[in-house]
Amino acid sequence: DTGVSQDPRHKITKRGQNVTFRCDPISEHNRLYWYRQTLGQGPEFLTYFQNEAQLEKSRLLSDRFSAERPKGSFSTLEIQRTEQGDSAMYLCASSSSTEAFFGQGTRLTVV
Amino acid sequence: AQKVTQAQTEISVVEKEDVTLDCVYETRDTTYYLFWYKQPPSGELVFLIRRNSFDEQNEISGRYSWNFQKSTSSFNFTITASQVVDSAVYFCALGGGYQKVTFGIGTKLQVIP
């Protein structure tokens, strides 16, 4: 296990389509986070899981967004009816008590 | 509410110069963690350091050093003898242990050969 991996790395979609991203955290980390980063900004928190439980959701996470972590391992983030404003880098991170590591992100472009 | 301020949005230095990136934070938590991440043009966030609020010792790692001053709520990052490969966006961030991390806006560092 070499780190947090995200798939796909890039996604181009038409407005109105649904998209799903996947994150595989570091296996021994029980906390998993999703962040969104728009151009010129720092990452903004979306939601996080401890094991399979989703413990917090940001106000940025509209009803069109849903995240799951069904078995406490990998996580998915789905965006329904994408809008151009959803274009961003979506970052996943996992943490233990002493470290936090980010994946390489999924860059979403909505055209 | 937590807040991280990185007042320098862009810095340019000539290779081999030293550069300090400033970070000021706000939190009501008594226990918290401070981070620095590097984001090169490829986009991934690279973890550089994590410090807890009880440890104010400065840290040095190679050409990197960090100065944590709780009295001024600052956690500054210095790169000594900068290199072109240091060119990236650097983010300071604040978190409460396992809690979500709040990032600053980032400082874009350009090291000119």
Side-chain angles (χ1 to χ4, degrees):
Chain A
D1 192 324
T2 57
V4 179
S5 62
Q6 292 187 245
D7 182 71
R9 293 288 309 280
H10 303 272
K11 178 71 176 179
I12 299 174
T13 191
K14 291 184 179 179
R15 190 174 51 187
Q17 297 294 305
N18 299 344
V19 293
T20 299
F21 311 140
R22 176 179 170 126
C23 171
D24 287 90
I26 294 171
S27 56
E28 58 266 30
H29 290 178
N30 59 6
R31 294 251 174 158
L32 185 149
Y33 304 80
W34 284 99
Y35 288 80
R36 182 175 70 185
Q37 185 179 19
T38 53
L39 199 61
Q41 300 294 319
E44 296 172 293
F45 170 79
L46 292 179
T47 188
Y48 87 89
F49 294 83
Q50 177 161 343
N51 300 314
E52 66 274 13
Q54 188 173 16
L55 296 184
E56 186 175 347
K57 293 194 286 187
S58 161
R59 290 172 295 176
L60 294 175
L61 213 67
S62 76
D63 291 344
R64 298 184 296 105
F65 288 69
S66 62
E68 293 183 346
R69 194 182 183 197
K71 295 182 180 179
S73 56
F74 72 92
S75 176
T76 58
L77 177 67
E78 181 183 17
I79 309 174
Q80 296 181 325
R81 304 180 304 281
T82 52
E83 301 172 357
Q84 285 189 320
D86 297 332
S87 295
M89 174 81 87
Y90 290 84
L91 294 159
C92 174
S94 70
S95 74
S96 66
S97 61
T98 59
E99 59 189 14
F101 291 100
F102 281 80
Q104 292 181 304
T106 294
R107 186 172 295 281
L108 173 67
T109 303
V110 181
V111 298
Chain B
Q2 296 184 325
K3 185 179 178 182
V4 176
T5 302
Q6 295 180 257
Q8 307 147 306
T9 53
E10 290 193 39
I11 300 176
S12 290
V13 298
V14 176
E15 199 171 19
K16 297 185 183 177
E17 286 184 347
D18 299 346
V19 58
T20 295
L21 310 182
D22 297 333
C23 173
V24 174
Y25 64 91
E26 295 175 30
T27 181
R28 293 179 184 174
D29 293 337
T30 53
T31 301
Y32 51 88
Y33 294 87
L34 294 161
F35 305 81
W36 276 95
Y37 286 88
K38 174 182 180 180
Q39 189 173 46
S42 53
E44 75 271 24
L45 276 169
V46 178
F47 172 82
L48 295 178
I49 190 171
R50 173 187 186 269
R51 300 304 300 276
N52 73 55
S53 51
F54 295 107
D55 184 2
E56 289 193 68
Q57 278 193 332
N58 291 332
E59 183 157 339
I60 298 174
S61 175
R63 296 185 297 107
Y64 295 168
S65 62
W66 291 270
N67 183 355
F68 175 29
Q69 293 196 346
K70 209 168 178 178
S71 59
T72 56
S73 297
S74 66
F75 186 46
N76 296 338
F77 172 32
T78 297
I79 303 174
T80 303
S82 60
Q83 300 176 1
V84 172
V85 293
D86 295 328
S87 297
V89 180
Y90 290 85
F91 291 97
C92 180
L94 168 68
Y98 269 122
Q99 294 175 17
K100 63 188 178 188
V101 175
T102 300
F103 286 82
I105 197 171
T107 296
K108 183 176 181 180
L109 173 65
Q110 184 178 14
V111 181
I112 303 165

mmCIF file with all atom_site columns, all heavy atoms in Angstrom, chain B residues 61-73:
data_model
loop_
_atom_site.group_PDB
_atom_site.id
_atom_site.type_symbol
_atom_site.label_atom_id
_atom_site.label_alt_id
_atom_site.label_comp_id
_atom_site.label_asym_id
_atom_site.label_entity_id
_atom_site.label_seq_id
_atom_site.pdbx_PDB_ins_code
_atom_site.Cartn_x
_atom_site.Cartn_y
_atom_site.Cartn_z
_atom_site.occupancy
_atom_site.B_iso_or_equiv
_atom_site.pdbx_formal_charge
_atom_site.auth_seq_id
_atom_site.auth_comp_id
_atom_site.auth_asym_id
_atom_site.auth_atom_id
_atom_site.pdbx_PDB_model_num
ATOM 1   N N   . SER B 1 61 ? 14.404 20.232 8.709  1.00 0.00 ? 61 SER B N   1
ATOM 2   C CA  . SER B 1 61 ? 14.523 19.010 7.938  1.00 0.00 ? 61 SER B CA  1
ATOM 3   C C   . SER B 1 61 ? 15.225 19.364 6.637  1.00 0.00 ? 61 SER B C   1
ATOM 4   O O   . SER B 1 61 ? 14.603 19.889 5.700  1.00 0.00 ? 61 SER B O   1
ATOM 5   C CB  . SER B 1 61 ? 13.139 18.418 7.666  1.00 0.00 ? 61 SER B CB  1
ATOM 6   O OG  . SER B 1 61 ? 13.232 17.288 6.827  1.00 0.00 ? 61 SER B OG  1
ATOM 7   N N   . GLY B 1 62 ? 16.496 19.116 6.589  1.00 0.00 ? 62 GLY B N   1
ATOM 8   C CA  . GLY B 1 62 ? 17.256 19.484 5.400  1.00 0.00 ? 62 GLY B CA  1
ATOM 9   C C   . GLY B 1 62 ? 17.243 20.981 5.179  1.00 0.00 ? 62 GLY B C   1
ATOM 10  O O   . GLY B 1 62 ? 17.645 21.752 6.070  1.00 0.00 ? 62 GLY B O   1
ATOM 11  N N   . ARG B 1 63 ? 16.744 21.392 4.022  1.00 0.00 ? 63 ARG B N   1
ATOM 12  C CA  . ARG B 1 63 ? 16.700 22.834 3.707  1.00 0.00 ? 63 ARG B CA  1
ATOM 13  C C   . ARG B 1 63 ? 15.433 23.493 4.263  1.00 0.00 ? 63 ARG B C   1
ATOM 14  O O   . ARG B 1 63 ? 15.254 24.698 4.129  1.00 0.00 ? 63 ARG B O   1
ATOM 15  C CB  . ARG B 1 63 ? 16.765 23.029 2.200  1.00 0.00 ? 63 ARG B CB  1
ATOM 16  C CG  . ARG B 1 63 ? 18.069 22.565 1.572  1.00 0.00 ? 63 ARG B CG  1
ATOM 17  C CD  . ARG B 1 63 ? 18.124 22.890 0.086  1.00 0.00 ? 63 ARG B CD  1
ATOM 18  N NE  . ARG B 1 63 ? 17.083 22.201 -0.679 1.00 0.00 ? 63 ARG B NE  1
ATOM 19  C CZ  . ARG B 1 63 ? 16.001 22.781 -1.185 1.00 0.00 ? 63 ARG B CZ  1
ATOM 20  N NH1 . ARG B 1 63 ? 15.790 24.077 -1.020 1.00 0.00 ? 63 ARG B NH1 1
ATOM 21  N NH2 . ARG B 1 63 ? 15.125 22.077 -1.869 1.00 0.00 ? 63 ARG B NH2 1
ATOM 22  N N   . TYR B 1 64 ? 14.559 22.692 4.842  1.00 0.00 ? 64 TYR B N   1
ATOM 23  C CA  . TYR B 1 64 ? 13.290 23.214 5.348  1.00 0.00 ? 64 TYR B CA  1
ATOM 24  C C   . TYR B 1 64 ? 13.378 23.446 6.853  1.00 0.00 ? 64 TYR B C   1
ATOM 25  O O   . TYR B 1 64 ? 13.955 22.621 7.571  1.00 0.00 ? 64 TYR B O   1
ATOM 26  C CB  . TYR B 1 64 ? 12.156 22.215 5.098  1.00 0.00 ? 64 TYR B CB  1
ATOM 27  C CG  . TYR B 1 64 ? 11.806 21.941 3.659  1.00 0.00 ? 64 TYR B CG  1
ATOM 28  C CD1 . TYR B 1 64 ? 10.966 20.879 3.341  1.00 0.00 ? 64 TYR B CD1 1
ATOM 29  C CD2 . TYR B 1 64 ? 12.274 22.717 2.620  1.00 0.00 ? 64 TYR B CD2 1
ATOM 30  C CE1 . TYR B 1 64 ? 10.601 20.608 2.045  1.00 0.00 ? 64 TYR B CE1 1
ATOM 31  C CE2 . TYR B 1 64 ? 11.929 22.454 1.310  1.00 0.00 ? 64 TYR B CE2 1
ATOM 32  C CZ  . TYR B 1 64 ? 11.085 21.395 1.022  1.00 0.00 ? 64 TYR B CZ  1
ATOM 33  O OH  . TYR B 1 64 ? 10.724 21.123 -0.266 1.00 0.00 ? 64 TYR B OH  1
ATOM 34  N N   . SER B 1 65 ? 12.773 24.515 7.308  1.00 0.00 ? 65 SER B N   1
ATOM 35  C CA  . SER B 1 65 ? 12.662 24.732 8.749  1.00 0.00 ? 65 SER B CA  1
ATOM 36  C C   . SER B 1 65 ? 11.332 25.419 9.046  1.00 0.00 ? 65 SER B C   1
ATOM 37  O O   . SER B 1 65 ? 10.774 26.124 8.198  1.00 0.00 ? 65 SER B O   1
ATOM 38  C CB  . SER B 1 65 ? 13.838 25.567 9.292  1.00 0.00 ? 65 SER B CB  1
ATOM 39  O OG  . SER B 1 65 ? 13.853 26.845 8.705  1.00 0.00 ? 65 SER B OG  1
ATOM 40  N N   . TRP B 1 66 ? 10.841 25.154 10.229 1.00 0.00 ? 66 TRP B N   1
ATOM 41  C CA  . TRP B 1 66 ? 9.547  25.695 10.625 1.00 0.00 ? 66 TRP B CA  1
ATOM 42  C C   . TRP B 1 66 ? 9.691  26.393 11.970 1.00 0.00 ? 66 TRP B C   1
ATOM 43  O O   . TRP B 1 66 ? 10.340 25.876 12.890 1.00 0.00 ? 66 TRP B O   1
ATOM 44  C CB  . TRP B 1 66 ? 8.512  24.573 10.743 1.00 0.00 ? 66 TRP B CB  1
ATOM 45  C CG  . TRP B 1 66 ? 8.162  23.988 9.414  1.00 0.00 ? 66 TRP B CG  1
ATOM 46  C CD1 . TRP B 1 66 ? 7.161  24.399 8.579  1.00 0.00 ? 66 TRP B CD1 1
ATOM 47  C CD2 . TRP B 1 66 ? 8.803  22.892 8.755  1.00 0.00 ? 66 TRP B CD2 1
ATOM 48  N NE1 . TRP B 1 66 ? 7.143  23.628 7.451  1.00 0.00 ? 66 TRP B NE1 1
ATOM 49  C CE2 . TRP B 1 66 ? 8.138  22.689 7.534  1.00 0.00 ? 66 TRP B CE2 1
ATOM 50  C CE3 . TRP B 1 66 ? 9.872  22.066 9.080  1.00 0.00 ? 66 TRP B CE3 1
ATOM 51  C CZ2 . TRP B 1 66 ? 8.500  21.703 6.626  1.00 0.00 ? 66 TRP B CZ2 1
ATOM 52  C CZ3 . TRP B 1 66 ? 10.243 21.090 8.189  1.00 0.00 ? 66 TRP B CZ3 1
ATOM 53  C CH2 . TRP B 1 66 ? 9.554  20.915 6.963  1.00 0.00 ? 66 TRP B CH2 1
ATOM 54  N N   . ASN B 1 67 ? 9.056  27.551 12.078 1.00 0.00 ? 67 ASN B N   1
ATOM 55  C CA  . ASN B 1 67 ? 9.092  28.354 13.288 1.00 0.00 ? 67 ASN B CA  1
ATOM 56  C C   . ASN B 1 67 ? 7.669  28.514 13.813 1.00 0.00 ? 67 ASN B C   1
ATOM 57  O O   . ASN B 1 67 ? 6.862  29.222 13.228 1.00 0.00 ? 67 ASN B O   1
ATOM 58  C CB  . ASN B 1 67 ? 9.712  29.732 12.989 1.00 0.00 ? 67 ASN B CB  1
ATOM 59  C CG  . ASN B 1 67 ? 9.838  30.592 14.226 1.00 0.00 ? 67 ASN B CG  1
ATOM 60  O OD1 . ASN B 1 67 ? 9.385  30.226 15.307 1.00 0.00 ? 67 ASN B OD1 1
ATOM 61  N ND2 . ASN B 1 67 ? 10.462 31.736 14.084 1.00 0.00 ? 67 ASN B ND2 1
ATOM 62  N N   . PHE B 1 68 ? 7.377  27.814 14.895 1.00 0.00 ? 68 PHE B N   1
ATOM 63  C CA  . PHE B 1 68 ? 6.039  27.844 15.479 1.00 0.00 ? 68 PHE B CA  1
ATOM 64  C C   . PHE B 1 68 ? 6.074  28.774 16.688 1.00 0.00 ? 68 PHE B C   1
ATOM 65  O O   . PHE B 1 68 ? 6.843  28.541 17.616 1.00 0.00 ? 68 PHE B O   1
ATOM 66  C CB  . PHE B 1 68 ? 5.632  26.429 15.889 1.00 0.00 ? 68 PHE B CB  1
ATOM 67  C CG  . PHE B 1 68 ? 4.316  26.325 16.608 1.00 0.00 ? 68 PHE B CG  1
ATOM 68  C CD1 . PHE B 1 68 ? 3.296  27.238 16.386 1.00 0.00 ? 68 PHE B CD1 1
ATOM 69  C CD2 . PHE B 1 68 ? 4.090  25.291 17.497 1.00 0.00 ? 68 PHE B CD2 1
ATOM 70  C CE1 . PHE B 1 68 ? 2.079  27.131 17.042 1.00 0.00 ? 68 PHE B CE1 1
ATOM 71  C CE2 . PHE B 1 68 ? 2.869  25.166 18.158 1.00 0.00 ? 68 PHE B CE2 1
ATOM 72  C CZ  . PHE B 1 68 ? 1.875  26.086 17.933 1.00 0.00 ? 68 PHE B CZ  1
ATOM 73  N N   . GLN B 1 69 ? 5.271  29.829 16.673 1.00 0.00 ? 69 GLN B N   1
ATOM 74  C CA  . GLN B 1 69 ? 5.185  30.746 17.805 1.00 0.00 ? 69 GLN B CA  1
ATOM 75  C C   . GLN B 1 69 ? 3.723  30.865 18.220 1.00 0.00 ? 69 GLN B C   1
ATOM 76  O O   . GLN B 1 69 ? 2.937  31.562 17.573 1.00 0.00 ? 69 GLN B O   1
ATOM 77  C CB  . GLN B 1 69 ? 5.768  32.110 17.442 1.00 0.00 ? 69 GLN B CB  1
ATOM 78  C CG  . GLN B 1 69 ? 7.273  32.077 17.210 1.00 0.00 ? 69 GLN B CG  1
ATOM 79  C CD  . GLN B 1 69 ? 7.904  33.454 17.229 1.00 0.00 ? 69 GLN B CD  1
ATOM 80  O OE1 . GLN B 1 69 ? 7.202  34.459 17.155 1.00 0.00 ? 69 GLN B OE1 1
ATOM 81  N NE2 . GLN B 1 69 ? 9.212  33.501 17.315 1.00 0.00 ? 69 GLN B NE2 1
ATOM 82  N N   . LYS B 1 70 ? 3.406  30.212 19.317 1.00 0.00 ? 70 LYS B N   1
ATOM 83  C CA  . LYS B 1 70 ? 2.026  30.206 19.790 1.00 0.00 ? 70 LYS B CA  1
ATOM 84  C C   . LYS B 1 70 ? 1.583  31.605 20.218 1.00 0.00 ? 70 LYS B C   1
ATOM 85  O O   . LYS B 1 70 ? 0.416  31.966 20.055 1.00 0.00 ? 70 LYS B O   1
ATOM 86  C CB  . LYS B 1 70 ? 1.912  29.247 20.967 1.00 0.00 ? 70 LYS B CB  1
ATOM 87  C CG  . LYS B 1 70 ? 0.571  28.609 21.148 1.00 0.00 ? 70 LYS B CG  1
ATOM 88  C CD  . LYS B 1 70 ? 0.686  27.475 22.141 1.00 0.00 ? 70 LYS B CD  1
ATOM 89  C CE  . LYS B 1 70 ? -0.666 26.846 22.361 1.00 0.00 ? 70 LYS B CE  1
ATOM 90  N NZ  . LYS B 1 70 ? -0.565 25.700 23.286 1.00 0.00 ? 70 LYS B NZ  1
ATOM 91  N N   . SER B 1 71 ? 2.516  32.401 20.737 1.00 0.00 ? 71 SER B N   1
ATOM 92  C CA  . SER B 1 71 ? 2.165  33.732 21.241 1.00 0.00 ? 71 SER B CA  1
ATOM 93  C C   . SER B 1 71 ? 1.644  34.637 20.136 1.00 0.00 ? 71 SER B C   1
ATOM 94  O O   . SER B 1 71 ? 0.830  35.527 20.375 1.00 0.00 ? 71 SER B O   1
ATOM 95  C CB  . SER B 1 71 ? 3.380  34.378 21.912 1.00 0.00 ? 71 SER B CB  1
ATOM 96  O OG  . SER B 1 71 ? 4.446  34.499 20.990 1.00 0.00 ? 71 SER B OG  1
ATOM 97  N N   . THR B 1 72 ? 2.118  34.410 18.922 1.00 0.00 ? 72 THR B N   1
ATOM 98  C CA  . THR B 1 72 ? 1.671  35.226 17.790 1.00 0.00 ? 72 THR B CA  1
ATOM 99  C C   . THR B 1 72 ? 0.815  34.423 16.827 1.00 0.00 ? 72 THR B C   1
ATOM 100 O O   . THR B 1 72 ? 0.468  34.901 15.745 1.00 0.00 ? 72 THR B O   1
ATOM 101 C CB  . THR B 1 72 ? 2.876  35.810 17.036 1.00 0.00 ? 72 THR B CB  1
ATOM 102 O OG1 . THR B 1 72 ? 3.730  34.736 16.628 1.00 0.00 ? 72 THR B OG1 1
ATOM 103 C CG2 . THR B 1 72 ? 3.656  36.773 17.902 1.00 0.00 ? 72 THR B CG2 1
ATOM 104 N N   . SER B 1 73 ? 0.477  33.185 17.211 1.00 0.00 ? 73 SER B N   1
ATOM 105 C CA  . SER B 1 73 ? -0.336 32.300 16.350 1.00 0.00 ? 73 SER B CA  1
ATOM 106 C C   . SER B 1 73 ? 0.251  32.218 14.946 1.00 0.00 ? 73 SER B C   1
ATOM 107 O O   . SER B 1 73 ? -0.460 32.405 13.947 1.00 0.00 ? 73 SER B O   1
ATOM 108 C CB  . SER B 1 73 ? -1.786 32.799 16.289 1.00 0.00 ? 73 SER B CB  1
ATOM 109 O OG  . SER B 1 73 ? -2.385 32.765 17.549 1.00 0.00 ? 73 SER B OG  1
#
